[in-house]
Amino acid sequence: MTSLIRILLATLILCVSCPAEEAQLPTASVPVAYLDVIDAYQRLKSSFPEIHEIVRTVQIDKSTLVLNPAHAKYDAARQMLKRIDVRPKQVLLRVVVSELAQDGSEKIISRPNLTTLNNQPAAVIFSSENKQFKVSINPTVLPEAAAK
């Protein structure tokens, strides 16, 4: 999403309130470290229909949700944020790039090791004999049950 669309989404998400009243209300800033802050808000919204009462502001530039600590579901919202805002798993990819000849022989061109995060693309570019190659990978860590 572009920044403009993200700002418009954040504006549409939140109710407009009187700045004078807002200054008197208690707030609690909760940084979102790994999730996109708009995604975090949307996931909270799916569990808390009254989200506009719990989240006062979405600060896209600071990746922070400003919450209402006086709301009855404040603790539950914080716990859910803590549960969903987790670092994605790292993935180490050991790649062997080979050129196969017609006679069945194999010439190893490169053995790159790539480290990336789950669902984050990785790429390596290399050259061999005036040819340029690019290997692109988009890894996904399977859930434990699916991997067995």
Side-chain angles (χ1 to χ4, degrees):
M1 271 189 208
T2 64
S3 295
L4 179 58
I5 292 172
R6 294 170 58 72
I7 291 170
L8 289 173
L9 265 174
T11 304
L12 290 173
I13 287 170
L14 301 174
C15 296
V16 177
S17 60
C18 174
E21 290 176 18
E22 191 75 22
Q24 298 171 4
L25 298 173
T27 60
S29 294
V30 180
V32 180
Y34 301 107
L35 277 179
D36 175 84
V37 71
I38 297 295
D39 292 340
Y41 178 87
Q42 292 296 341
R43 289 177 69 178
L44 282 174
K45 184 178 177 183
S46 68
S47 295
F48 300 98
E50 66 278 56
I51 193 68
H52 64 280
E53 298 171 5
I54 301 170
V55 177
R56 295 246 170 88
T57 310
V58 175
Q59 297 177 336
I60 295 173
D61 59 332
K62 295 180 182 177
S63 192
T64 299
L65 294 174
V66 179
L67 304 182
N68 172 8
H71 195 278
K73 294 192 177 175
Y74 165 78
D75 288 330
R78 279 217 54 155
Q79 287 303 314
M80 182 175 176
L81 267 175
K82 191 176 187 178
R83 205 171 46 254
I84 63 175
D85 187 34
V86 295
R87 182 185 173 129
K89 292 183 178 181
Q90 271 193 323
V91 180
L92 172 63
L93 305 164
R94 293 190 172 132
V95 181
V96 176
V97 181
S98 305
E99 184 177 339
L100 300 176
Q102 288 183 351
D103 66 1
S105 63
E106 183 177 357
K107 176 183 174 188
I108 295 176
I109 297 171
S110 180
R111 291 180 188 258
N113 288 333
L114 306 170
T115 303
T116 186
L117 296 177
N118 183 29
N119 294 322
Q120 297 299 311
V124 62
I125 299 172
F126 52 91
S127 299
S128 174
E129 298 176 7
N130 298 326
K131 295 178 188 175
Q132 199 167 32
F133 301 89
K134 177 180 179 183
V135 176
S136 299
I137 300 165
N138 192 1
T140 301
V141 174
L142 297 175
E144 294 291 327
K148 292 180 182 177

